[in-house]
Amino acid sequence: MLKLLKPHAMDTAHEAAYMEFMKYHRLITGRDIPVDTADDGKSDYVLIGTDAVNHFTAEVFLSGEFAGFPIRYGSEDYAIRGVRMRGRSFLFIGGGRGRAILYAVYTYLEKVCGCRWFWDGDRVPEKNALLIDGIDIVERPKLSYRGLRYFAHRGLWRFQAEHWGWEDWKREIDWMLKKRLNLFMLRIGHDDIFQKAFPESCQYPPEDDFQSPGKKMFYDRTSAWGLRYRGELRKKVLSYAFDRDLMHPEDCGTMTHWYTPTPLDFIENEKPEFFDQATANYGDPEQLCWDIRKDKWLQKYFSITEAHIREYGRPQLFHTIGFAERMFSEDRAVNMRMKQYVYRRIGEYVRKNYPNAPLMIASWDLWFKYTPEEAAKLLEEFDPDSTILLDYTSDSKKDNNFTKWGTIGKFPYIFGIFHAYSRNNDVRGDYAITEERLKIAAADKMCRGLIYWPEVSHSDTFMSEYFTSNAWSPLELTMEERIEKYAKDRYAYDTEKLTEVYKAFQPFVEMQDWWSYSEFFFNPILMMTYIEKEMAIRCEKPERLAKMAEDAAWILETLATIDLTDDMIRRDAYDIARTLIGRYIHVAQGDVIARMIDWKNGKDCEVLPLYQKAAALLEILCQVLAGHDDYSLVASLKRLQEEHPVNPVFEHTLKENATCEYHRAYVYENMKYLYLPETAIVGKWLALSFEKGDHSLPDSSSYKEMAVKNKECFFALPFAEMDRAAPAFPVLMQEAANNIRKLWK
């Protein structure tokens, strides 16, 4: 009989590994594994922990019966070894540190037992018994930092981590460990850190009616849950992660960014002094940068960091983005000197007070505001022994990244996949440029890690698998091999058919990266502005999509034949469908803009039929989104309410956050009650343009006013009165396939 020999004493990570082994033994075999506290002299055993942790393992190592683990103690190495001794079978599972023992247990369950891990669930096979003989697995990571960032947008539960409750976070952290990650970051606002850091100046707002006064779009930071509860949840989440030996970088101070504004009562009571800014963005007092040239405000700045460490975190790793997206002077040289100074000031404080903790320098401002030469000059003054460049825009088409900053072979850096803005929550990614740069990083001894740093979580399940595999050991598989493995691991049935679907889908995925476009059908007022100003949008040429139309139709018609009772297959089918339909809508809208510009300049162009066909495809997309909770604001709000009582004014905030230009995406309620009516308004404007017959555009002001009134109606309509019903998925797939053929024949 196979039993589990319980160690006499376990730290929290080993206890978690022990509990997970028991959990999955029960799921695989349907039975609980018996547990002994001492060797009974006759049973086969599983032993968790090295000889430094497990007394029985130490006993047989010291006696020479067990050769031990070929790992580096204190590292993330782990080993799984099946040994015959004393006439019995023993499975020894050991890891160099806490998280490594969890990696080891999950690797055994994956490689030996056949389990598969995904963010939205596990695939667990059924077996009569677990195999323990003949196993010898030893693994170590090639990169030291492997992690995720969770961002502060609101909208849909699946994509926005600020919506997640306690069970969601436990599942997410367990998944991180199953995928052998070691780092994550909650950049989802500062929760109640100001209240913790400055209790005499910052009061907790009322739990049931807190609202950001007068704020619109993503600047409305009204909280769904009261800040006290958010603080409690943050503490539980980070404690759960630290118990499993994960790292969480501490933010230096506050960026006073849109998602971490300074509370108004702090401003009123403390009257902070600010840096002058040469640009209007982030110009409100809540978003101005504190003048840390003065010791008082430097100390206040780091009081926020210290409060987070005291209440929630650990000072093992620090992170700063500097004072990003700000210009302190119109004189570029003056501005750069100020930014250099800010980095020096922050770095000096960290080195003095936390000398053993590395400081990660985020790449966003370097990529966004610096030239490659300026970024290289800045990095020259950082100490490579205590500083790491976090280049989380390594996959950008913009030619400004670690390859241009003098880092290769000289300065430690982490390769990062940014992948998606909030508004771009479809499936996309320029894998060619990612792999081209990843080859450089993988061959470079100064590359320390791989980070996935999107603005939306889980927009692309395949990307999650691609990232986690490369983070542990880069570029072991080709893209075709990855797709085949993905389908084999994830799909419970129709695997061959879905493999071919995903292979055919991949060229559509790679058409767009995260930076290159906005969805103008999701904000068609911009279409009028672009046409008026003769500004073409960047997108694939219609000719290419026309050649691929039959492939797109085949994918959609094949999806119509798939049984969607399995949740993972269903989710992927909807992701493929919404993305594929969206590609054709987007390129059609770009073609409409281009044709209208030509028409305005005197050329005869066919526009209205194209626009009408694209609008019809948008109607189909709306119905597709109605079929899955992943794309419903109402469903997302319900999940929030099930976790904890929700601020009654948050419905308005959810609409503000999810409908502004930055966040518009594949959202059913927005699509039906906002985007589609707006699209009809633009259609009327286009039709009037051709009725005039003189190649001049009619005044758009009245149409834009109509759009404003439509948005007011959307905000006035309660979620409770928004209906949601969709035709059968196969019907929609066939309609979409037919529409694409008509649109692009």
Side-chain angles (χ1 to χ4, degrees):
M1 175 183 289
L2 181 65
K3 294 183 177 181
L4 186 59
L5 190 56
K6 184 176 183 179
H8 290 83
M10 295 182 285
D11 62 23
T12 53
H14 280 78
E15 184 174 5
Y18 171 81
M19 297 300 293
E20 287 291 88
F21 191 94
M22 290 196 295
K23 169 186 170 181
Y24 283 97
H25 181 279
R26 182 168 57 253
L27 289 173
I28 293 168
T29 67
R31 306 184 305 275
D32 289 329
I33 185 170
V35 177
D36 283 350
T37 56
D39 180 10
D40 65 7
K42 57 184 180 181
S43 297
D44 297 335
Y45 281 107
V46 175
L47 298 110
I48 293 176
T50 66
D51 51 293
V53 174
N54 191 302
H55 288 185
F56 181 83
T57 304
E59 174 191 323
V60 295
F61 170 70
L62 292 172
S63 69
E65 297 171 272
F66 172 51
F69 296 104
I71 62 173
R72 298 166 297 177
Y73 283 69
S75 77
E76 293 183 304
D77 300 357
Y78 59 84
I80 308 155
R81 314 197 81 176
V83 176
R84 288 289 298 177
M85 65 183 193
R86 301 182 181 183
R88 293 176 281 147
S89 294
F90 293 82
L91 181 68
F92 293 92
I93 302 176
R97 59 180 299 160
R99 56 181 175 262
I101 192 64
L102 280 154
Y103 300 161
V105 166
Y106 290 133
T107 297
Y108 168 77
L109 293 168
E110 180 178 359
K111 292 193 172 182
V112 179
C113 302
C115 294
R116 296 294 183 264
W117 320 117
F118 296 95
W119 72 267
D120 53 349
D122 303 330
R123 292 289 189 201
V124 180
E126 295 181 358
K127 297 178 182 291
N128 291 327
L130 303 189
L131 175 67
I132 66 171
D133 289 328
I135 299 168
D136 192 7
I137 299 172
V138 181
E139 296 192 340
R140 62 182 56 176
K142 293 186 178 179
L143 298 171
S144 299
Y145 295 97
R146 308 174 304 280
L148 289 157
R149 191 272 302 267
Y150 299 92
F151 205 46
H153 294 306
R154 281 87 165 267
L156 298 172
W157 165 83
R158 169 181 166 185
F159 305 106
Q160 274 82 39
E162 197 176 313
H163 285 262
W164 298 350
W166 174 228
E167 292 300 324
D168 298 322
W169 275 113
K170 286 198 296 183
R171 182 172 55 252
E172 186 77 4
I173 291 168
D174 290 344
W175 172 75
M176 291 182 214
L177 289 157
K178 290 169 183 174
K179 307 305 283 188
R180 297 178 294 187
L181 304 181
N182 61 12
L183 168 72
F184 76 115
M185 185 175 187
L186 297 179
R187 186 170 274 278
I188 56 174
H190 271 304
D191 295 336
D192 64 346
I193 307 303
F194 271 91
Q195 286 75 20
K196 299 288 190 184
F198 309 107
E200 69 286 352
S201 300
C202 290
Q203 302 300 309
Y204 281 91
E207 294 285 297
D208 60 351
D209 66 354
F210 166 61
Q211 188 169 16
S212 298
K215 299 300 181 183
K216 300 288 186 182
M217 305 186 302
F218 51 86
Y219 294 107
D220 183 349
R221 295 305 296 167
T222 301
S223 183
W225 299 319
L227 289 192
R228 290 187 189 276
Y229 177 73
R230 284 186 51 142
E232 293 168 5
L233 179 61
R234 189 181 192 94
K235 188 173 187 66
K236 287 171 67 176
V237 168
L238 287 176
S239 294
Y240 189 83
F242 291 143
D243 283 347
R244 285 149 183 77
D245 196 24
L246 288 177
M247 293 182 285
H248 182 273
E250 294 293 333
D251 255 324
C252 293
T254 172
M255 277 180 57
T256 58
H257 208 54
W258 59 262
Y259 52 88
T260 53
T262 305
L264 288 174
D265 53 354
F266 179 88
I267 294 172
E268 293 170 1
N269 293 321
E270 297 281 352
K271 297 179 174 53
E273 299 173 77
F274 303 116
F275 281 113
D276 292 331
Q277 288 185 187
T279 50
N281 63 318
Y282 307 120
D284 293 340
E286 307 99 287
Q287 295 157 359
L288 291 171
C289 296
W290 303 355
D291 189 351
I292 62 170
R293 289 173 295 186
K294 299 174 182 177
D295 291 343
K296 174 183 177 180
W297 294 109
L298 178 71
Q299 187 57 57
K300 295 277 188 182
Y301 183 78
F302 273 100
S303 292
I304 298 170
T305 303
E306 290 160 359
H308 190 276
I309 293 170
R310 182 176 66 249
E311 299 288 340
Y312 304 116
R314 292 184 179 177
Q316 55 189 170
L317 181 65
F318 286 81
H319 167 271
T320 183
I321 198 170
F323 284 172
E325 300 185 19
R326 317 302 173 100
M327 297 294 287
F328 298 109
S329 171
E330 293 181 359
D331 184 318
R332 191 165 188 89
V334 172
N335 181 69
M336 293 307 299
R337 286 199 298 272
M338 184 65 78
K339 290 202 171 192
Q340 284 178 292
Y341 169 79
V342 165
Y343 278 117
R344 293 168 187 169
R345 191 83 159 133
I346 292 170
E348 178 65 21
Y349 189 97
V350 172
R351 283 190 296 272
K352 180 180 178 180
N353 292 279
Y354 306 98
N356 298 318
L359 174 62
M360 294 195 306
I361 305 296
S363 70
W364 185 255
D365 205 35
L366 279 63
W367 173 84
F368 195 54
K369 292 291 187 181
Y370 286 55
T371 66
E373 294 75 21
E374 289 169 339
K377 182 178 179 181
L378 176 71
L379 290 175
E380 285 177 356
E381 66 180 53
F382 290 125
D383 176 13
D385 292 331
S386 61
T387 317
I388 304 168
L389 170 66
L390 176 58
D391 180 18
Y392 55 85
T393 52
S394 305
D395 62 332
S396 167
K397 284 186 177 179
K398 184 178 178 182
D399 198 18
N400 191 21
N401 53 69
F402 73 98
T403 66
K404 303 294 183 181
W405 297 341
T407 60
I408 297 174
K410 298 178 181 178
F411 193 87
Y413 62 93
I414 296 172
F415 184 98
I417 300 173
F418 191 72
H419 187 61
Y421 272 143
S422 175
R423 63 174 173 262
N424 295 340
N425 69 346
D426 60 342
V427 180
R428 69 182 58 200
D430 190 332
Y431 287 92
I433 199 167
T434 299
E435 297 223 327
E436 174 189 329
R437 292 179 183 159
L438 187 54
K439 287 177 184 177
I440 298 171
D444 185 9
K445 63 181 180 180
M446 299 308 289
C447 181
R448 298 288 190 260
L450 180 58
I451 300 288
Y452 184 34
W453 224 245
E455 285 195 353
V456 287
S457 296
H458 305 312
S459 63
D460 181 350
T461 301
F462 177 80
M463 172 54 80
S464 294
E465 296 300 298
Y466 175 89
F467 148 67
T468 52
S469 175
N470 278 305
W472 185 260
S473 185
L475 300 173
E476 286 191 340
L477 301 176
T478 65
M479 282 298 295
E480 183 173 3
E481 289 169 337
R482 289 192 188 281
I483 291 171
E484 290 172 353
K485 184 178 188 307
Y486 177 81
K488 182 180 178 181
D489 289 349
R490 184 164 171 84
Y491 300 137
Y493 46 79
D494 284 332
T495 304
E496 291 184 8
K497 187 186 293 185
L498 285 165
T499 301
E500 294 309 307
V501 165
Y502 225 98
K503 286 181 179 179
F505 177 54
Q506 197 64 20
F508 294 95
V509 173
E510 297 186 11
M511 283 181 181
Q512 301 294 349
D513 64 1
W514 57 268
W515 174 249
S516 58
Y517 74 89
S518 299
E519 302 282 8
F520 282 83
F521 267 114
F522 297 166
N523 195 349
I525 304 307
L526 290 180
M527 288 189 69
M528 291 188 277
T529 303
Y530 269 59
I531 291 167
E532 290 168 333
K533 295 184 177 180
E534 300 190 11
M535 299 166 57
I537 66 171
R538 293 180 296 168
C539 64
E540 284 292 329
K541 293 182 178 179
E543 294 79 10
R544 182 180 177 193
L545 272 190
K547 292 178 181 178
M548 299 171 68
E550 194 54 44
D551 289 342
W554 175 84
I555 292 170
L556 295 169
E557 289 173 336
T558 304
L559 290 178
T561 69
I562 300 292
D563 177 1
L564 300 187
T565 54
D566 180 87
D567 286 343
M568 292 186 190
I569 292 176
R570 182 169 180 265
R571 174 167 280 123
D572 282 12
Y574 272 84
D575 277 354
I576 292 168
R578 69 185 174 93
T579 298
L580 199 55
I581 296 169
R583 284 289 181 276
Y584 279 88
I585 292 170
H586 169 65
V587 173
Q589 73 193 22
D591 199 15
V592 165
I593 292 172
R595 292 186 187 195
M596 281 301 297
I597 292 171
D598 286 343
W599 180 84
K600 181 185 172 186
N601 290 318
K603 296 180 182 179
D604 290 328
C605 303
E606 186 182 68
V607 177
L608 284 178
L610 175 63
Y611 190 82
Q612 290 160 355
K613 290 175 183 177
L617 194 56
L618 190 70
E619 290 268 9
I620 296 172
L621 178 57
C622 177
Q623 294 175 324
V624 170
L625 298 182
H628 204 296
D629 281 355
D630 279 359
Y631 319 116
S632 170
L633 290 177
V634 174
S636 295
L637 183 60
K638 182 180 178 182
R639 292 188 74 123
L640 286 168
Q641 293 165 337
E642 290 171 350
E643 173 70 19
H644 187 77
V646 170
N647 185 344
V649 301
F650 186 71
E651 180 174 323
H652 178 89
T653 295
L654 197 55
K655 291 176 180 177
E656 283 283 2
N657 290 174
T659 60
C660 67
E661 179 188 348
Y662 193 9
H663 295 175
R664 287 191 173 205
Y666 293 75
V667 179
Y668 165 71
E669 289 83 6
N670 294 2
M671 186 78 73
K672 180 171 183 179
Y673 295 99
L674 188 65
Y675 309 157
L676 282 171
E678 288 176 335
T679 300
I681 291 168
V682 175
K684 293 177 182 177
W685 181 74
L686 291 174
L688 184 59
S689 299
F690 285 90
E691 286 177 16
K692 288 167 63 66
D694 59 0
H695 291 274
S696 66
L697 299 175
D699 180 62
S700 64
S701 57
S702 62
Y703 293 91
K704 291 178 180 178
E705 288 175 8
M706 291 168 62
V708 170
K709 290 179 180 178
N710 177 68
K711 189 170 184 179
E712 291 172 353
C713 291
F714 172 79
F715 273 80
L717 183 66
F719 280 153
E721 296 180 19
M722 294 184 180
D723 66 346
R724 181 173 151 225
F729 187 76
V731 173
L732 291 173
M733 294 302 96
Q734 188 61 61
E735 288 183 5
N738 294 340
N739 188 294
I740 287 172
R741 286 192 178 104
K742 291 177 184 177
L743 188 62
W744 298 99
K745 64 182 178 180

